[in-house]
């Protein structure tokens, strides 16, 4: 399969199913959306009925309550990140229905001085409230795409979708995430993560979007628990936030870069010659420095 000219070597990786609910934050401006996101974040941290923090408190017998409260934090603010989304000249895998069949992204991980490649395949129908995908991530020793490190079945599927053609990074998303792990309704046999995403995105021709979202993702669960019951707990998490913040969230079943790919598909349909010429002129290194948002 044609990718870029360099195939970085693999360090390690993981292959897992992903089930999540995604919600756009609604407001009239980026600043108002960011403020509302922060209000919902504080609400979740202060809730002690449904959003029960995953982390067990430290051993605290006969310890000061003040000391215990500062020794234990339920959230982890991640560093700013820049993620590059790759596609073929035909935008293969990004469908007119807005459901991406395959999604390719890379991100430089400064602490480990390596690149993370993430490939996601859709495994649920478009009408589902829950976005369900297979996520395969690998840590590579350099910039680029290396699909040959995928498991054999995933590689063959990617080959079928993408064909034998070049991949280039056509969109960049910059942002920050604050994930909070919790037991929904205190059910310690089920682990959810609610993640607060704040960022911006840009396609290679300069189209820009806001990325201010809340994601609720299933992280772990006892296999005896039915997916129907997990869906009920997804509903419960959503309803609690919606009740406290009416008309603040809009559920979506598409991934973050979808509006940018929608823009590029429209350009491609309107004037395929100019789109293909711009794609051909696009350098792979276009996004290796922070984009001018």
């Amino acid at each position: 399969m044609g990718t870029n000219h360099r195939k970085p070597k693999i360090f390690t990786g993981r292959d897992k199913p992903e089930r999540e609910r995604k919600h756009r934050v609604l407001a009239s401006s980026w600043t108002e959306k960011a403020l509302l996101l922060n209000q919902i974040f504080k609400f979740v941290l202060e809730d002690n009925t449904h959003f029960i923090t995953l982390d067990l408190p430290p051993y605290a017998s006969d310890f000061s309550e003040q000391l215990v409260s500062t020794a234990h934090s339920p959230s982890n603010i991640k560093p700013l990140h820049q993620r590059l989304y790759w596609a073929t000249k035909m935008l293969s895998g990004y469908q007119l229905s807005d459901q991406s069949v395959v999604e390719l992204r890379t991100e430089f991980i400064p602490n480990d001085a390596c690149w993370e490649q993430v490939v996601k395949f859709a495994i649920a129908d478009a009408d589902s409230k829950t976005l369900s995908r297979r996520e395969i991530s690998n840590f590579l020793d350099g910039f680029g795409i290396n699909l040959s490190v995928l498991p054999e079945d995933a590689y063959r599927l990617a080959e079928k979708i993408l064909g034998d053609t070049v991949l280039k990074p056509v969109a960049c998303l910059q942002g920050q995430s604050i994930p909070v792990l919790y037991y929904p309704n205190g059910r310690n046999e089920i682990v959810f993560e609610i993640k607060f995403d704040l960022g911006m995105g840009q396609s290679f021709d300069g189209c820009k979007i806001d990325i201010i979202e809340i994601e609720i993702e299933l992280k772990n669960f006892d296999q005896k628990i039915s997916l129907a019951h997990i869906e009920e707990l997804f509903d419960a998490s959503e309803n609690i936030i919606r009740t406290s913040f009416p008309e603040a969230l809009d559920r979506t079943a598409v991934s973050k870069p979808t509006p940018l790919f929608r823009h590029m598909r429209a350009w491609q349909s309107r004037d395929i010659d100019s789109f293909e010429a711009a794609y051909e002129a696009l350098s792979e290194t276009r996004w290796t420095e922070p984009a001018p948002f």
Side-chain angles (χ1 to χ4, degrees):
M1 183 191 304
T3 56
N4 59 316
H5 65 278
R6 184 177 188 277
K7 292 186 176 181
K9 296 179 181 178
I10 183 176
F11 284 157
T12 185
R14 63 180 183 273
D15 184 350
K16 66 182 181 68
E18 176 187 65
R19 295 182 66 85
E20 65 181 6
R21 297 274 183 96
K22 297 173 67 68
H23 311 79
R24 286 187 286 259
V25 176
L26 303 177
S28 59
S29 69
W30 193 93
T31 300
E32 291 180 2
K33 292 176 186 177
L35 290 173
L36 183 52
L37 184 79
N38 189 54
Q39 291 173 18
I40 299 172
F41 169 68
K42 289 181 178 179
F43 168 80
V44 166
L45 291 189
E46 293 170 358
D47 178 79
N48 59 5
T49 58
H50 177 79
F51 297 96
I52 309 301
T53 300
L54 167 66
D55 303 319
L56 295 175
Y59 177 73
S61 176
D62 298 325
F63 279 80
S64 158
E65 290 184 5
Q66 183 179 19
L67 175 62
V68 172
S69 68
T70 56
H72 172 63
S73 174
S75 63
N76 174 33
I77 300 177
K78 293 185 175 180
L80 288 170
H81 60 253
Q82 177 167 275
R83 293 172 177 173
L84 310 182
Y85 288 80
W86 299 65
T88 69
K89 183 166 62 176
M90 297 306 295
L91 302 179
S92 305
Y94 294 91
Q95 309 306 303
L96 293 175
S97 64
D98 280 343
Q99 294 295 321
S100 57
V101 177
V102 61
E103 183 177 285
L104 310 172
R105 82 166 192 242
T106 58
E107 175 184 353
F108 182 67
I109 311 299
N111 289 344
D112 298 320
C114 67
W115 286 81
E116 182 182 25
Q117 170 184 282
V118 177
V119 182
K120 296 185 179 183
F121 296 95
I123 55 176
D125 64 75
D127 296 327
S128 174
K129 292 186 293 184
T130 303
L131 185 62
S132 183
R133 296 183 290 185
R134 178 185 180 185
E135 179 182 304
I136 305 168
S137 62
N138 299 106
F139 293 95
L140 309 176
D141 71 347
F143 175 76
I145 288 287
N146 187 356
L147 297 181
S148 67
V149 303
L150 297 175
E152 182 65 22
D153 64 320
Y155 178 80
R156 294 303 172 196
L157 179 57
E159 185 179 46
K160 180 179 179 181
I161 296 169
L162 300 172
D164 184 18
T165 189
V166 171
L167 291 162
K168 290 185 178 182
V170 296
C172 173
L173 271 56
Q174 294 180 339
Q176 187 170 43
S177 297
I178 306 177
V180 178
L181 295 169
Y182 68 99
Y183 298 126
N185 285 347
R187 298 282 303 274
N188 62 7
E189 71 274 32
I190 304 174
V191 179
F192 277 7
E193 177 186 80
I194 182 166
K195 187 167 60 175
F196 301 85
D197 288 323
L198 183 68
M200 301 177 178
Q202 181 174 316
S203 59
F204 74 95
D205 67 319
C207 177
K208 298 178 182 180
I209 59 171
D210 291 345
I211 301 170
I212 302 180
E213 295 184 350
I214 293 174
E215 296 181 355
I216 303 173
E217 182 178 349
L218 174 66
K219 302 299 287 187
N220 197 10
F221 70 105
D222 188 319
Q223 296 298 319
K224 296 177 182 178
I225 299 171
S226 70
L227 289 179
H229 184 59
I230 289 171
E231 289 295 300
E232 292 174 359
L233 290 170
F234 270 129
D235 289 337
S237 294
E238 286 182 336
N239 291 337
I240 288 171
I241 296 176
R242 288 180 183 277
T243 299
S244 300
F245 298 88
E247 300 182 359
L249 299 179
D250 177 31
R251 184 194 297 135
T252 178
V254 300
S255 61
K256 291 182 180 66
T258 294
L260 295 176
F261 279 95
R262 187 185 303 135
H263 159 77
M264 287 185 280
R265 284 199 307 269
W267 175 15
Q268 187 183 55
S269 299
R270 183 176 63 253
D271 189 347
I272 191 169
D273 290 339
S274 69
F275 177 83
E276 292 188 351
Y279 183 94
E280 293 291 352
L282 175 62
S283 169
E284 283 185 357
T285 60
R286 162 70 175 85
W287 302 106
T288 52
E289 295 296 331
F293 286 95

